[in-house]
Amino acid sequence: QVQLVESGGGLVQAGGSLRLSCAASGIIFSINTMGWYRQAPGKQRELVAAITNADKTNYADSVKGRFTISRDNTKSTVNLQMNSLKREDTAVYYCNLNQIWLGAKKDFWGQGTQVTVSS
């Protein structure tokens, strides 16, 4: 199995910055995608940003130019640098790892970390 532990959430004023980190442990294969999703109250969970083991990135349109995702394959960590935060970025942020597991793609999730942006 895979365990994901997030850190770095909190309360920040609009326009401020936060950095989220996620450490993965367990059975992690070299080919995988790590990413961050978020879920605001009353809304569905949505992709924020993802990065493959080859450092190919994908961002939600709403965060392009403000958020940067990065990873360290040697440490199995993924980070999300969030700048110019807006109130609408308020949500629980979940770390995700997707890899082949028993012949099929499988998602593993962290427990989530709250990000609150105040005006």
Side-chain angles (χ1 to χ4, degrees):
Q1 289 292 333
V2 174
Q3 296 78 44
L4 301 171
V5 178
E6 301 115 333
S7 61
L11 174 65
V12 64
Q13 285 191 330
S17 298
L18 279 177
R19 183 178 176 85
L20 304 183
S21 295
C22 173
S25 61
I27 302 174
I28 302 167
F29 299 110
S30 59
I31 299 175
N32 61 65
T33 298
M34 297 188 75
W36 291 92
Y37 287 70
R38 67 187 181 188
Q39 187 166 19
K43 294 187 176 182
Q44 290 189 333
R45 190 174 298 190
E46 63 176 1
L47 172 70
V48 177
I51 183 168
T52 71
N53 55 283
D55 287 336
K56 181 177 180 181
T57 59
N58 181 35
Y59 293 92
D61 288 342
S62 59
V63 306
K64 284 180 180 177
R66 300 188 297 123
F67 291 10
T68 302
I69 191 169
S70 61
R71 65 185 285 168
D72 183 337
N73 291 328
T74 63
K75 299 179 181 178
S76 297
T77 59
V78 63
N79 301 303
L80 185 68
Q81 179 66 42
M82 305 186 293
N83 299 328
S84 303
L85 282 160
K86 304 176 181 180
R87 287 191 65 186
E88 51 263 43
D89 294 319
T90 296
V92 178
Y93 283 69
Y94 295 92
C95 180
N96 170 271
L97 184 146
N98 181 278
Q99 64 180 8
I100 299 295
W101 188 267
L102 298 178
K105 282 194 171 183
K106 181 178 174 66
D107 285 308
F108 296 90
W109 298 95
Q111 79 284 359
T113 185
Q114 177 70 46
V115 171
T116 302
V117 183
S118 65
S119 58

